[in-house]
Amino acid sequence: MLTKKQHELLLFIHQRLEENGVSPSFEEMKAALDLKSKSGIHRLITALEERGFLRRLPHRARALEVLRLPGDGLPDRKPTAVPNSPNVIQGAFGAPRPQAVAVAEAAEAVDLPLYGKIAAGAPIEALRDPEGQAGVPVSMLNPKKRHYALSIEGDSMIDAGIHDGDVVVIEQCDTANDGEIVVALVDDEEATLKRLRRRGSSVALEAANPEYETRIFGPDRVKVQGRLVGLIRQYH
């Protein structure tokens, strides 16, 4: 699942490579997507690279290789839900006030809203409507908090034990302690899963993979949307 801008950029790069074998410049990409700054292009390219659509060729300026286009194999993976429970957490992501989770003592699992994929890499488009539900063990949940689930795409948090295809359980909150893994909303439009670090007056979103750089933002650009409390993995 790509955002609209990611999809547009990937097709634009592919078209230019097909036409003349040379990647477009950042200025050309910025103009083609009607973006205001090159930083947005850097962010989109990083996201496409982490998700296996693009590759930067080393030691060559403006060198990009399109590895695949949307629909070329590697289908999205969705979790298999635990059998339905009567205790369903209601409400949409981003509700202004968290509601208590009604969980019967006898219940073994509840269904949480599943908000599609989040990049464990560069930020992607902010989460919107849930795409389904994920069955989650009651033991992972705080009965006084609201929770939701996210499907992971990418490997930038692999050293924290978070792999591509995992489903993470998030406790909705707007604050987090230094060093916690959080869902961070950047510039009110893009979300990413990263370890939160505070550096003076700045906020750092830290990957758990040496292949990816730590990204630093002003405090007014990052909002915490929840913190990691659990993980579900399928073995095939």
Side-chain angles (χ1 to χ4, degrees):
M1 181 180 68
L2 296 180
T3 67
K4 180 180 178 181
K5 289 296 185 184
Q6 289 170 0
H7 189 270
E8 289 177 356
L9 180 61
L10 181 63
L11 293 183
F12 178 65
I13 294 171
H14 175 69
Q15 180 182 357
R16 292 294 295 272
L17 287 171
E18 288 286 301
E19 289 175 351
N20 53 35
V22 178
S23 303
S25 67
F26 276 77
E27 191 65 38
E28 289 171 330
M29 289 186 270
K30 180 170 73 77
L33 271 68
D34 194 27
L35 295 180
K36 295 181 179 179
S37 69
K38 294 181 183 178
S39 63
I41 296 297
H42 280 282
R43 193 162 58 208
L44 291 170
I45 287 177
T46 301
L48 289 168
E49 185 180 24
E50 290 176 353
R51 301 171 79 179
F53 289 92
L54 277 183
R55 180 171 65 186
R56 301 181 214 232
L57 302 179
H59 312 302
R60 293 173 57 188
R62 285 177 49 184
L64 296 171
E65 178 184 3
V66 175
L67 300 177
R68 65 185 178 105
L69 295 173
D72 292 350
L74 298 178
D76 291 345
R77 286 179 284 176
K78 293 190 177 181
T80 301
V82 176
N84 289 336
S85 162
N87 309 105
V88 178
I89 299 173
Q90 303 292 339
F93 177 83
R97 297 172 58 187
Q99 300 174 1
V101 179
V103 180
E105 292 184 1
E108 296 181 357
V110 295
D111 289 333
L112 295 184
L114 178 66
Y115 287 94
K117 294 182 180 293
I118 187 170
I124 60 174
E125 188 176 58
L127 306 173
R128 302 191 188 282
D129 298 325
E131 294 187 349
Q133 294 180 327
V136 175
V138 171
S139 59
M140 289 186 181
L141 309 178
N142 181 336
K144 296 182 180 180
K145 300 289 186 178
R146 180 187 293 273
H147 301 76
Y148 57 94
L150 295 168
S151 181
I152 294 296
E153 191 169 75
D155 63 356
S156 74
M157 296 302 289
I158 195 168
D159 287 350
I162 302 171
H163 296 189
D164 182 69
D166 287 346
V167 172
V168 293
V169 181
I170 304 298
E171 179 185 292
Q172 188 172 322
C173 60
D174 56 12
T175 61
N177 295 323
D178 193 61
E180 287 190 305
I181 297 176
V182 303
V183 175
L185 185 66
V186 179
D187 295 333
D188 288 325
E189 62 180 14
E190 295 171 319
T192 188
L193 186 77
K194 286 290 181 292
R195 194 176 299 279
L196 179 72
R197 300 287 189 189
R198 292 181 176 86
R199 299 184 177 181
S201 60
S202 299
V203 175
L205 299 181
E206 182 180 277
N209 182 334
E211 297 294 323
Y212 301 104
E213 63 181 13
T214 296
R215 308 184 67 188
I216 300 176
F217 301 91
D220 58 335
R221 296 184 60 192
V222 177
K223 296 178 182 177
V224 173
Q225 300 284 280
R227 65 184 188 91
L228 178 71
V229 296
L231 182 146
I232 300 171
R233 177 173 300 152
Q234 293 187 79
Y235 292 91
H236 300 282

